[in-house]
Amino acid sequence: MQIRFVLAALRKHRLATFLIALQISLACAVLCNACFLIVQQVHAMRIDSGVDEARLGTVKLSGFDPKSANDFNARVVDALRHVDGVQSVSVISGVPFGEPGVRAGIGLDPDYKQFGGVIDFYLGDDHAAHDFGLHLISGRMPSPDDYMPVTKFVPSNAPVLITRTLAEHLWPGQNPLGKQFWGLDTQFRVIGVLDHLSVSQPGGSEAKDPDWSVFVPAIAGPNLAGKYLIRAQPNDMPRVMREAREAALKAAPDAVLDTDQSHSLSRLRHSYFESARVMVKLLAGVVVALLGTTALGIVGLASFWVTQRRKQIGTRRALGATRGDILRYFQIENFIIVSFGILLGMLLAYGLSLELMRSYEVPRLPFGYMPIGAAALWILGQLAVLVPALRASAITPVEAIRTL
Amino acid sequence: MLEMRDMSKIFRTEQVETHALRSFDLHVREGEFVTVTGPSGSGKTTFLNIAGLLDTFSTGAYVLDGQDVSDLDDYARSKLRNRKIGFIFQGFNLLPDLNLFDNLDVPLCYRRLKRAERHQRINDALARVGLASRMKHYPSQLSGGQQQRAAIARALAGHPRLLLADEPTGNLDSQMALEVMDLLQDINRAGSTIVMVTHDPNLASRAQRNVHIVDGRVAEDPADGTIRPRPVEGTA
Ligand SMILES: Nc1ncnc2c1ncn2[C@@H]1O[C@H](COP(=O)(O)OP(=O)(O)OP(=O)(O)O)[C@@H](O)[C@H]1O
Ligand SMILES: [Mg+2]
């Protein structure tokens, strides 16, 4: 019933109404996009790497002579195996959340007419597939004959394990087993499909999908040396890694230990997402600050209007308005202003999203975030206006009428 | 219609207690036009506010239209005010953000009346005070006299049992004051009970009955209902 009067009165206060609605619309736009970015970051941080992170660590050495790689590998692997608590050691080319390993564009034909995207290749010796804890969903694990020496970057004509996501991307709806693809001057044949195996830098700019990787069985040698995967009990990891680093250096005193990369996978993952965590905190801070200032703006304007309309409120009370009528008046008014702000905010949110897409390669804001943002602001608005509105409803008719 | 017995109203502030009304007795019958006069601070406004259920009283009894209203809560008093009482203020108290039509509509909406009935009443009331052509005007676009007539129309539209006016002509020049007084007398002749506080002895003398208040007490009241003209002291 009162909506008509509220609207009529707001028409007489267009500027203040517009300004507060504008603030609300900004809050709405930023809120929707920030929440979406936060959810995306959190989702990215939760990625399933497809390997037994809690049980894995890696040691990286450099500065050795490639000609003596076989001897070097043998010495280091032997030393690592003798560290107390180490269950298994393998030679690999890289790990998820570690530095980029072998990465290349692939084609579905030898001439790359059909480009398949940029993917990560994880090379590993005959212990690696087991040590990683790869989860096979179809096909088979590499057999002893599948392990071949690395020619330049990868073994020639290698059989590979491919992730389900990548297989679905390359051959949608088809059985990937036995299929071939080309890359790194050679060809590959799919022998098994993995549930997951994330790229080394998930969310990084090159691979379109964080799960576009393959595992390539290989034999350690001059082109596969210096990086080792250690498997141990999760609760033993910190000590094992400390001792493993020392043991590796002792076994290869002239090599250089990469202290950034030689850690447990849990720790590598933690540092890999450090900036994402900072960004989430920052965005959350922005959201809270924005909602706070918006709430304060609403409280401020509503309080000002209550004071300004003291006499009016008293008059309304004299004319028969109950306290509830006065309370509702301010609640309806707030609802209308916030709704107007939300309407503007939706357009703004969409515009902001398009701009973010263009500049930062983030996906378009899903429409589902709009009603969530709207609901949040409606609730915020009603909470913010409650105190001034209650104050208004407590104004007694006499005192208000006396103030001429 | 309105019966107050042995009523008192005490305002307490930190330093002082003001007895705005004491042993106040008044009986207004249906259809009467009663003016209330008295020196400044004598309690006229206090009496009117209590009569209109805007304020509570300290002791005594008040029966309005046959109903004892001494112990009603805020909600019940709001509803009763809305249905039975029409107010006319010295400062007009129109809502500045709404046009005349909406100003008249507000109290009717609080009453949850149907749209058609509201429109009928608003049109009738505005026509009665001669402002039918101004219903889209805002209060600030009207003269003082027109604003007060609009306020009277707002009270009339509610078909109140009791019309209360606190110095309704106090902010008007004498010509407009007379117009408003004529209008109120018309309304009274049509059957409404009116209680009007005024400082103007000329206006007071035009009523059937003038109650004079001094120091929160009824000092003179031709209570038997006969019209007893009386020289009024005080400001003119
Ligand atoms: N809210 C209040 N708090 C304290 N004292 C009050 C209050 N309202 C009225 N009074 C006191 O009560 C007494 C009666 O006041 P009231 O307003 O009824 O006088 P009045 O007859 O209407 O005067 P006037 O002719 O000047 O309008 C005065 O002494 C006044 O100071
Ligand atoms: Mg007064």
Side-chain angles (χ1 to χ4, degrees):
Chain A
M1 205 57 133
Q2 299 198 76
I3 288 184
R4 223 183 72 232
F5 304 128
V6 176
L7 281 173
L10 284 179
R11 267 202 292 280
K12 296 285 255 175
H13 300 273
R14 283 198 197 95
L15 186 64
T17 306
F18 178 71
L19 287 180
I20 194 83
L22 200 67
Q23 191 186 1
I24 290 163
S25 71
L26 275 174
C28 182
V30 175
L31 180 71
C32 290
N33 281 287
C35 284
F36 176 49
L37 291 181
I38 288 175
V39 167
Q40 272 206 311
Q41 290 295 328
V42 170
H43 185 75
M45 281 191 268
R46 289 227 181 115
I47 188 174
D48 181 352
S49 65
V51 303
D52 264 355
E53 284 165 44
R55 297 170 189 280
L56 297 177
T58 176
V59 168
K60 188 194 165 199
L61 296 165
S62 55
F64 55 89
D65 181 4
K67 279 184 213 127
S68 61
N70 282 330
D71 168 56
F72 183 84
N73 275 339
R75 263 189 291 140
V76 175
V77 168
D78 187 58
L80 291 174
R81 281 200 178 122
H82 282 93
V83 171
D84 188 28
V86 169
Q87 297 166 337
S88 178
V89 176
S90 44
V91 186
I92 49 158
S93 66
V95 291
F97 315 117
E99 61 183 13
V102 183
R103 176 182 292 170
I106 55 165
L108 288 174
D109 56 280
D111 307 321
Y112 298 89
K113 285 205 186 82
Q114 254 188 295
F115 186 61
V118 176
I119 69 168
D120 270 22
F121 295 80
Y122 287 103
L123 279 57
D125 66 13
D126 52 355
H127 287 87
H130 171 262
D131 287 357
F132 267 132
L134 297 177
H135 180 45
L136 195 71
I137 53 173
S138 69
R140 60 171 179 85
M141 281 298 203
S143 60
D145 316 339
D146 290 329
Y147 291 86
M148 291 179 291
V150 181
T151 45
K152 197 160 151 204
F153 299 108
V154 285
S156 296
N157 302 316
V160 297
L161 304 177
I162 192 171
T163 61
R164 173 174 29 201
T165 315
L166 181 56
E168 190 54 36
H169 163 68
L170 295 177
W171 307 286
Q174 299 174 45
N175 181 1
L177 294 177
K179 289 268 196 284
Q180 286 179 298
F181 63 87
W182 283 260
L184 295 165
D185 301 329
T186 181
Q187 69 183 72
F188 302 90
R189 182 169 37 86
V190 176
I191 56 165
V193 180
L194 297 172
D195 199 13
H196 288 292
L197 179 57
S198 86
V199 298
S200 58
Q201 312 262 291
S205 52
E206 278 194 75
K208 271 211 184 118
D209 189 287
D211 220 18
W212 281 5
S213 322
V214 294
F215 176 81
V216 188
I219 293 173
N223 291 324
L224 183 59
K227 287 185 196 168
Y228 308 94
L229 187 69
I230 295 168
R231 193 174 167 97
Q233 281 301 325
N235 48 7
D236 222 8
M237 250 359 257
R239 181 193 59 79
V240 168
M241 281 314 298
R242 215 168 36 243
E243 291 181 14
R245 280 190 295 265
E246 285 164 16
L249 271 180
K250 210 189 258 171
D254 42 341
V256 180
L257 178 77
D258 185 334
T259 48
D260 280 344
Q261 293 293 317
S262 302
H263 292 291
S264 70
L265 257 63
S266 315
R267 174 144 174 207
L268 287 179
R269 181 189 188 114
H270 190 80
S271 15
Y272 182 76
F273 287 118
E274 188 61 48
S275 61
R277 268 195 306 280
V278 170
M279 176 165 163
V280 164
K281 278 182 200 149
L282 212 73
L283 283 171
V286 167
V287 165
V288 168
L290 206 63
L291 290 182
T293 46
T294 305
L296 285 181
I298 292 171
V299 171
L301 186 67
S303 299
F304 173 68
W305 274 351
V306 168
T307 311
Q308 200 191 32
R309 295 169 181 168
R310 248 188 126 63
K311 185 177 163 196
Q312 270 197 56
I313 293 164
T315 304
R316 285 174 193 275
R317 292 283 277 128
L319 295 175
T322 62
R323 285 188 185 166
D325 288 326
I326 301 295
L327 183 70
R328 270 191 297 285
Y329 184 94
F330 282 91
Q331 287 172 332
I332 292 171
E333 184 174 73
N334 178 269
F335 184 81
I336 291 173
I337 294 174
V338 172
S339 301
F340 180 55
I342 286 170
L343 214 70
L344 271 176
M346 299 273 175
L347 299 176
L348 222 59
Y350 195 67
L352 184 62
S353 162
L354 290 182
E355 192 50 43
L356 286 173
M357 274 167 72
R358 207 167 319 150
S359 319
Y360 299 103
E361 293 190 23
V362 298
R364 189 183 60 73
L365 179 70
F367 283 112
Y369 281 83
M370 305 263 192
I372 295 172
L377 282 165
W378 268 316
I379 294 169
L380 181 84
Q382 288 298 312
L383 288 179
V385 86
L386 193 61
V387 170
L390 280 173
R391 213 157 50 80
S393 74
I395 292 174
T396 65
V398 218
E399 71 173 300
I401 286 166
R402 206 171 35 230
T403 50
L404 277 177
Chain B
M1 169 58 54
L2 175 159
E3 195 171 359
M4 291 180 173
R5 259 175 286 115
D6 200 21
M7 180 179 280
S8 75
K9 172 69 179 176
I10 303 169
F11 290 108
R12 286 197 179 83
T13 55
E14 282 132 40
Q15 294 97 21
V16 281
E17 263 190 13
T18 312
H19 289 254
L21 295 179
R22 58 183 100 203
S23 310
F24 192 92
D25 286 289
L26 187 68
H27 186 188
V28 177
R29 274 171 294 274
E30 178 141 20
E32 270 193 301
F33 191 143
V34 177
T35 53
V36 177
T37 53
S40 183
S42 57
K44 304 182 295 292
T45 297
T46 304
F47 151 68
L48 212 64
N49 285 343
I50 292 173
L53 303 175
L54 292 178
D55 209 350
T56 54
F57 46 93
S58 308
T59 62
Y62 177 19
V63 176
L64 172 66
D65 199 22
Q67 184 184 0
D68 185 347
V69 294
S70 312
D71 299 319
L72 294 181
D73 64 10
D74 188 81
Y75 181 85
R77 294 185 326 143
S78 301
K79 287 296 173 199
L80 214 57
R81 202 150 62 215
N82 183 235
R83 255 179 293 118
K84 295 205 167 163
I85 294 167
F87 283 101
I88 300 158
F89 305 96
Q90 178 174 2
F92 321 137
N93 289 43
L94 295 168
L95 303 173
D97 296 334
L98 302 179
N99 64 29
L100 280 199
F101 186 93
D102 286 345
N103 258 285
L104 265 65
D105 204 7
V106 164
L108 303 181
C109 281
Y110 288 139
R111 205 151 149 183
R112 316 274 186 263
L113 288 180
K114 290 251 154 46
R115 186 185 149 90
E117 170 154 25
R118 292 195 331 258
H119 282 220
Q120 181 70 49
R121 285 181 176 214
I122 293 167
N123 287 326
D124 287 354
L126 283 175
R128 184 126 174 239
V129 301
L131 288 175
S133 60
R134 309 277 177 145
M135 59 171 70
K136 294 289 169 216
H137 284 58
Y138 285 87
S140 59
Q141 299 169 318
L142 300 176
S143 74
Q146 287 171 327
Q147 286 188 50
Q148 193 57 301
R149 280 177 7 226
I152 293 171
R154 177 174 66 186
L156 287 180
H159 297 173
R161 304 275 291 139
L162 179 62
L163 211 58
L164 301 174
D166 194 351
E167 305 197 34
T169 59
N171 281 0
L172 302 177
D173 65 34
S174 52
Q175 180 54 40
M176 290 202 279
L178 282 177
E179 278 177 31
V180 165
M181 188 62 190
D182 284 340
L183 184 57
L184 288 176
Q185 284 187 306
D186 276 350
I187 291 164
N188 171 247
R189 270 192 289 276
S192 298
T193 313
I194 300 181
V195 176
M196 177 176 104
V197 168
T198 182
H199 266 124
D200 185 339
N202 291 324
L203 296 185
S205 65
R206 287 174 61 171
Q208 303 157 334
R209 175 181 170 196
N210 176 253
V211 173
H212 195 65
I213 300 181
V214 178
D215 246 354
R217 232 189 281 262
V218 178
E220 290 179 53
D221 177 15
D224 49 358
T226 52
I227 299 161
R228 183 159 20 111
R230 178 182 57 81
V232 182
E233 77 277 19
T235 54

